Amino acid sequence: MSYRPFIGKVRRYVWRTHEGACTDGIGLMSGPRILAHLTPDEALALSNELTDLAETLEAERQETPK
């Protein structure tokens, strides 16, 4: 069986640097591990791209004869 990378959960997450700076945002999680941290603007841009790609894939799937 092969491993398929997966984001299992998203949650509010404050990124803290070693210098003490904090960036409020959204954590993309896999179990207890954070895979990525997005600012609100980055999250909105990514959600638009994900929606566009999902709609394109769905349209292509529906066009393909079975």
Side-chain angles (χ1 to χ4, degrees):
M1 177 188 283
S2 66
Y3 172 74
R4 183 176 68 95
F6 182 76
I7 296 170
K9 183 185 254 189
V10 296
R11 69 179 180 96
R12 190 169 186 167
Y13 194 95
V14 178
W15 186 264
R16 291 179 174 82
T17 67
H18 294 291
E19 295 80 28
C22 295
T23 303
D24 197 21
I26 297 163
L28 307 180
M29 314 298 290
S30 179
R33 297 182 318 138
I34 184 164
L35 300 177
H37 177 268
L38 303 172
T39 65
D41 287 341
E42 292 168 336
L44 288 169
L46 182 58
S47 71
N48 289 337
E49 287 184 51
L50 288 170
T51 299
D52 290 346
L53 283 170
E55 289 172 348
T56 298
L57 288 169
E58 182 65 18
E60 289 173 358
R61 185 176 68 96
Q62 290 178 1
E63 291 174 1
T64 304
K66 292 183 180 184

